Every structure is written in C-alpha cells, then in structure tokens.
Amino acid sequence: MAFTSLTPASAGYIPEDIDPMQLNSGQYISLADASFGPWSSRVTSRASARDEVLCSGFADLCDLAADNTRQISANLTFTTCNSPTEFDCARLLTISGESYSLTELVGDTVSGLPDKFLPHGSGPLLASGPNGDFILSIRGEYQFDSAKGYFLTRALDVELLPVTALQGNFERIRMVQRQSDDAKTVGEQGAAAKCYFNTESVCYQSDQTRLANLDVQLELQLSSKWSGFFKGRLTEPVLAVRKSKGVQIVSLTAQAARTHRVFFKVNWDAYGKAQEDAMCAGTSWCEAMKVGSTGLRTHLSSAPGAMAIVQAFGKHHLDTAAEDVFEWSFGIGRSIGEDCLGPNRGLLGMVTSNAPVFQAGPPNFQSGYLTYDIAGLHYAKDGQTLNLGEYNLQIRSDVARCLYGFSNAPVSATVQVTNESGKQVVATKVVSETDGWLRLNANGFTFSKKRVKVKISQGVQATLLPFAPGGMKLSASQNTFLKQALASKISGTELTCTGIYSSQAKASLAKKQAEATCAAAKKLRPSLKTISYVTSASSTGAKVGSVLLRSN
C-alpha cells in the first residue's frame, strides 16, 4: 500500500478527551494506520492529482481499452457471498460460537466485472446477533492492468467493530465529483462527525470495549489473485486457507488484541536533533517542524518514521499511551519478491501483534531469520500498567521448507525478541505444525522498539562435499559419499537436496547442483521421491557449493 509520511489532518487519530480547539495551542503528533480512502465503493479514472474522474461505467475516460493511458482504480467494500464461486466477498461470521446475519448497509455500489477479477462493491456490512450489532468492514483496492487485461489486487483491510445505533437525520455517505476552475477530483460526502458510519437515519457509534474476550471466526471467499502475508492486530489467531470452485476460502479465528494509541504533544523544551531527524526518517522529502508551531501532524504507523518518532518523542512524554483499546483487524500486505515468498505462491501466512507500530511489509528473510520490527509505548494510559507485547507468526509449511530447504521431517524453531541495542529480551521455543501450517509466538515483552527474529531449524543427515567452482556434475568422490550416505544415513522414502549459494546471483547454479545430487540419488535408489531447494550460506553456515541432504 503506497504511503507518504504525512496524511491529511482529518485522517489522524485524536483522543476523545482532546478538544479540537486545543490543537491551535500546541503541536501534536498522531500515528494512524494506513487506509486507502473513505467508505464508499467507487471506481475512478486518473491522469494526475488534478485530473481524477468518478466512473459510473466503463466508457469514455473510464474505458478499459488497452490504449487508455489513464489509471483505472477501484476501492470496494465487500458484499456477502451469494454463491460458492463468487470471489472477494464475506462468507460467514460467528462470534462466541453464535452465527451473525450480514446485511449490506446503504452506500454507493459498484457492479463488478468477474471476467476481469473485479468484484461487486457496496456499503459496509452490519452484523447482527446475540452480542449486539457490529460493523464488518472489508475494503479491497484494485488497479487495472491493461497489459494483462484484468484488475490487480493491491490492498485489503478488514475490521470488525461493535457499534451502537442512534436514530437521527443524517446525510447519506457517497462519493462525489468535485470540479474547480483548474482541477477535477473525487471525494466523499456525508460522513457525520462522531459516527463510525452513518446512513440517512442511523449513526453507528463505535464501542470497542465490547470486543474484549470475544472469539471471532470470519470466512472470506477471495479470488486467486490475492497473495502474500496477512498482517493484523489479533490475539491467538488461527488461519486456514483452502481452494474450492476456483476461489480461496480463508477462515480466520481470533480474539481482539489489546493495543494502544500513540498521540504526542510536542515539548519544545525537549525538542532537539533526535526529534527533528525522527520526523523525517525514511522519507525523501519532509516538511520540517518549526519550533513553536501549532496543529496536528499525522504519520502512518507502518511508515519507517513511526518507529523513529516513538523512540525520539516517547521518553519526553512519560512513554505513556493516549488510549487503551481493543482491535480486531487484519489485511494483506505485499509480497517481498523472494522466490519462496513471491506472488506466484498465493497466500503464505500471517503475522500479528498488538503493537501500535509495525513494519509495512511481511517479515524479511535475512541471514536465516524471519525478522519483523514493531514498536509501542511502555505504559498504558494510566501511566503505571505495563503494555506487554504479543507476536504471532503462522506460515505455510511448504513455504518455510522452501525458505530453508527442509525435508518433510519435523522442524523446531526459536523466537527471539531483541531491543534497539540488539540485546535479547525474550527467547522461547514455541512451535507447532498442524494441517500444513507452522505456528510460532512470543509474548510478555515490554515495548519500545523491538525486533522479533524467528529461526526454523532441522537436522542435516549428510552434507555432500562442495562442488568444484562452477561445477554441476558430481565428482567420483561425491558419488562415493552419496552412495555411502544412502546406505547408512538416509533411510526415508523422500530426499531433499538443498544447494548452498553465496549470493542471490549464484542461486541458479546452486539449484542445478542440488538437482544433480537428487538425480544421482534417485539412480542409486529409484523409489526415492526427491525435491531440490537452495538457501544462502549465511542462513546455514554451510560451505558454498555443498548440498545438504535430509529425508523424512
């Protein structure tokens, strides 16, 4: 999801006990989650920031013809599923074991183009059941690719929020075309103040405290185009994904995370270079803060600068949260380009935390560790209760094995949490593997800036001597070693051969060396099922050019 370091002030978080007029008497910093726009479903055609058109169909400036140079984008709120083949829709919702009915609230609608992977769009969903009313917001972002001839998936945000309905007279939320003398833009109109969402007759106000201790299960039907990692703020999540009738059925069960909000008033007496640098961290352009200025600066909580802001400003503000809240939300992040984590592998797993600040993408795979950065404030709003961190990683077993070059034999894992100085603050071996998923977690650490490092391990039964530089054919000594290993060390029915490379540029050579090893093993034992992987020397400590042998 694209972002800048600054977002409009109207999109920022402001605590309920702050009078908006106070913003004129000081400079405030708010951290807000990334979001790709308002409630209403819409399709837009855009040539520039000053030339954006609201589409009512797919003709003229909104034509999907290959020669249309404008960017055609859609931001849609999911509808309910009406058939087992419909994609990008809500399938079912249960809360504390009770089924909830889902009703589409009044809002702008978009008729989808299933043949181009564009679903239908509506207003948000009202979920009604024994525990009261909830609004289920599932918003997807799409962009048309004229070369491929269909819409690409760009981002997904899902949130469940308890609401209280208040009757009244309001304006209907809708998208409108705005035009001035020199610009055409698209905006939203009708959102009532202090309403999470509103129709013409009802204001739905949020009541997040009702999320506490609720077991929520949500099922979605997603198109095959969604890929990458889910990420979110959830507690004890269990994710399952299966394919049926051309769609991916995603089932997620979890409780809401207890998290906190970050909102600072700048203390100009404590403002120095560290604070100045933090405001512009990770950006190529930034408007500097002027001493004594007033107003609200909103930064995205997933931007690199957000972690720097927590570090630089938190200690000057008693390291205390502005608000303690419960949240049940998640989304799909972008793939990070690794072969094993690439978009061609579908939905890979989920990383969740109760941290108010987290990195924008999924975990990075570096030096054998899946690493993920999070940050938060030390104390809850009362200034005394410690905020304790939670981290959960769930990854498909086949993806983990691809990353590390493992066999189907059992694995173990280590979860480490380190502070900004690299000192380890939590170390625990928590791993389970069921139904094709590895699940790991670390809990109970205090906040500031933390890096969570996960390393998955599996014993090596034999290591083939390194190939000659650039070699792809086994030598006589390698063949002899392989024959002895199959006779004395490798008794399983499956063999995994993992080639070791020094840099990504050498990965292709390592893969050919692994394939040659597996092919030679299969000649010696034709009944073997073989698979070849590669991994870096930094991930394993093994010599470049060698091949690791594992069996089930």
Side-chain angles (χ1 to χ4, degrees):
M1 195 180 300
F3 57 81
T4 59
S5 64
L6 296 177
T7 57
S10 60
Y13 159 73
I14 302 177
E16 289 187 358
D17 55 2
I18 294 289
D19 185 336
M21 295 302 294
Q22 287 183 241
L23 302 181
N24 297 324
S25 62
Q27 180 79 63
Y28 293 82
I29 301 171
S30 171
L31 297 187
D33 288 345
S35 178
F36 45 81
W39 279 106
S40 295
S41 293
R42 76 272 193 194
V43 178
T44 59
S45 171
R46 181 185 174 100
S48 68
R50 303 182 67 80
D51 182 7
E52 185 180 34
V53 174
L54 182 63
C55 299
S56 59
F58 295 99
D60 301 325
L61 295 179
C62 302
D63 196 340
L64 300 181
D67 59 354
N68 187 353
T69 59
R70 300 173 67 90
Q71 178 179 297
I72 311 298
S73 301
N75 291 271
L76 307 176
T77 302
F78 282 18
T79 63
T80 56
C81 299
N82 294 311
S83 77
T85 59
E86 187 176 353
F87 62 88
D88 293 2
C89 57
R91 181 182 171 98
L92 66 84
L93 175 71
T94 65
I95 300 177
S96 297
E98 300 285 349
S99 296
Y100 273 63
S101 63
L102 298 176
T103 305
E104 295 168 17
L105 291 172
V106 175
D108 286 352
T109 60
V110 170
S111 296
L113 297 172
D115 61 324
K116 298 187 182 299
F117 290 96
L118 184 71
H120 301 294
S122 70
L125 300 174
L126 179 66
S128 300
N131 287 294
D133 289 338
F134 296 74
I135 283 185
L136 176 61
S137 166
I138 312 171
R139 291 180 281 184
E141 182 183 10
Y142 307 82
Q143 184 173 314
F144 186 70
D145 186 316
S146 58
K148 291 182 169 64
Y150 58 79
F151 281 85
L152 303 178
T153 56
R154 305 298 294 171
L156 179 69
D157 281 345
V158 181
E159 182 176 32
L160 181 71
L161 190 71
V163 292
T164 300
L166 301 178
Q167 302 298 315
N169 294 314
F170 308 95
E171 190 177 352
R172 182 176 70 85
I173 295 178
R174 63 196 183 280
M175 299 303 297
V176 295
Q177 181 75 59
R178 294 174 176 152
Q179 187 158 352
S180 61
D181 292 339
D182 59 349
K184 292 182 293 186
T185 58
V186 174
E188 186 183 65
Q189 186 170 306
K194 297 187 177 180
C195 298
Y196 179 67
F197 180 78
N198 62 271
T199 64
E200 290 178 312
S201 59
V202 181
C203 167
Y204 293 97
Q205 291 189 337
S206 65
D207 183 11
Q208 286 182 300
T209 57
R210 283 173 42 212
L211 279 172
N213 302 316
L214 293 181
D215 294 309
V216 178
Q217 180 186 12
L218 175 65
E219 285 194 7
L220 305 176
Q221 290 180 189
L222 299 181
S223 80
S224 60
K225 301 303 179 185
W226 290 102
S227 63
F229 266 85
F230 288 100
K231 59 179 181 177
R233 292 196 184 96
L234 301 167
T235 294
E236 299 180 2
V238 177
L239 174 70
V241 180
R242 62 185 176 90
K243 294 181 180 180
S244 175
K245 300 184 183 299
V247 300
Q248 301 182 91
I249 298 178
V250 175
S251 176
L252 176 62
T253 301
Q255 290 191 357
R258 185 184 181 92
T259 184
H260 58 278
R261 302 284 186 240
V262 178
F263 186 87
F264 295 137
K265 181 179 181 180
V266 176
N267 179 356
W268 293 115
D269 292 335
Y271 187 83
K273 189 175 187 306
Q275 288 71 39
E276 182 178 341
D277 291 345
M279 293 302 298
C280 296
T283 64
S284 58
W285 178 89
C286 177
E287 180 183 354
M289 292 179 69
K290 297 179 181 179
V291 175
S293 61
T294 62
L296 178 68
R297 293 279 294 253
T298 300
H299 284 241
L300 295 182
S301 59
S302 57
M307 295 194 186
I309 286 170
V310 169
Q311 292 297 100
F313 288 89
K315 56 188 176 182
H316 298 303
H317 299 271
L318 305 179
D319 216 0
T320 298
E323 186 180 4
D324 309 318
V325 296
F326 289 93
E327 186 173 332
W328 200 99
S329 67
F330 70 95
I332 295 180
R334 302 290 179 83
S335 298
I336 60 177
E338 296 278 355
D339 289 342
C340 298
L341 300 175
N344 61 316
R345 289 189 173 267
L347 296 171
L348 308 174
M350 180 173 229
V351 57
T352 67
S353 172
N354 65 336
V357 177
F358 48 83
Q359 71 181 48
N364 299 312
F365 186 60
Q366 299 173 333
S367 301
Y369 287 90
L370 283 164
T371 64
Y372 195 71
D373 290 338
I374 57 179
L377 296 169
H378 204 65
Y379 297 106
K381 186 177 180 179
D382 63 12
Q384 297 180 348
T385 303
L386 289 175
N387 287 322
L388 297 180
E390 300 176 11
Y391 173 86
N392 297 276
L393 172 65
Q394 183 173 330
I395 185 171
R396 271 182 15 216
S397 298
D398 64 308
V399 173
R401 284 173 165 77
C402 177
L403 284 172
Y404 291 98
F406 290 162
S407 73
N408 286 327
V411 300
S412 62
T414 300
V415 184
Q416 299 177 357
V417 182
T418 59
N419 61 19
E420 58 272 18
S421 301
K423 182 179 179 180
Q424 186 171 312
V425 296
V426 172
T428 179
K429 293 181 179 179
V430 181
V431 60
S432 64
E433 183 174 9
T434 56
D435 302 324
W437 295 89
L438 285 169
R439 297 181 175 92
L440 310 102
N441 67 77
N443 299 311
F445 52 90
T446 58
F447 275 115
S448 61
K449 181 181 179 182
K450 295 292 190 289
R451 170 162 289 179
V452 184
K453 300 172 65 178
V454 172
K455 187 162 190 176
I456 305 171
S457 59
Q458 186 182 66
V460 177
Q461 289 165 294
T463 302
L464 189 71
L465 300 172
F467 279 78
M472 291 179 285
K473 184 177 180 180
L474 273 69
S475 65
S477 59
Q478 285 176 318
N479 274 309
T480 298
F481 177 90
L482 182 61
K483 185 175 182 180
Q484 293 173 344
L486 288 172
S488 60
K489 298 179 179 180
I490 299 171
S491 58
T493 59
E494 299 176 0
L495 177 67
T496 297
C497 306
T498 305
I500 307 299
Y501 61 81
S502 56
S503 65
Q504 193 64 44
K506 300 291 187 180
S508 178
L509 174 62
K511 183 66 181 295
K512 291 176 181 177
Q513 292 169 342
E515 289 171 345
T517 303
C518 268
K522 195 167 179 64
K523 283 185 178 180
L524 294 169
R525 192 188 296 172
S527 61
L528 272 178
K529 294 181 180 178
T530 62
I531 186 169
S532 302
Y533 290 122
V534 294
T535 193
S536 66
S538 62
S539 298
T540 62
K543 291 182 178 180
V544 173
S546 61
V547 177
L548 308 181
L549 304 177
R550 299 180 175 93
S551 66
N552 59 346

